[in-house]
Amino acid sequence: MSEPEITQKKPYVLELEAGDYWWCACGRSKNQPFCDGSHQGTGLSPQKFTLSEKGKVWLCGCRRSGKAPHCDGTHKGL
């Protein structure tokens, strides 16, 4: 698999608790935007990110962000 699947052309806007999270980098997870292990065999791996406190995050849905797992607006050009 050379390119990850685009799950949506906008960010996932979520309010999350402090803790560790695994963002789906392949786009195959049924638990978007988080990893469910569906990347096996794709050559892609989920990306871990940590929140030190509860807060709102904008996670990439197009899988093309230069600041993954966070959205940088790349989806606007797709």
Side-chain angles (χ1 to χ4, degrees):
M1 179 176 194
S2 58
E3 291 285 322
E5 293 180 18
I6 295 172
T7 55
Q8 63 180 33
K9 292 183 180 178
K10 61 182 181 180
Y12 291 93
V13 181
L14 304 167
E15 183 80 26
L16 298 176
E17 298 293 328
D20 294 331
Y21 296 90
W22 291 91
W23 173 75
C24 171
C26 72
R28 292 183 171 187
S29 175
K30 301 290 188 241
N31 189 33
Q32 291 296 328
F34 303 109
C35 178
D36 69 359
S38 295
H39 63 277
Q40 298 300 321
T42 66
L44 298 170
S45 298
Q47 187 170 349
K48 182 180 180 181
F49 67 98
T50 302
L51 296 177
S52 57
E53 59 186 43
K54 179 180 177 176
K56 188 178 275 189
V57 295
W58 289 260
L59 300 178
C60 180
C62 72
R63 305 301 183 284
R64 304 300 187 272
S65 175
K67 295 184 178 184
H70 304 284
C71 177
D72 68 358
T74 298
H75 62 274
K76 294 175 186 174
L78 298 177

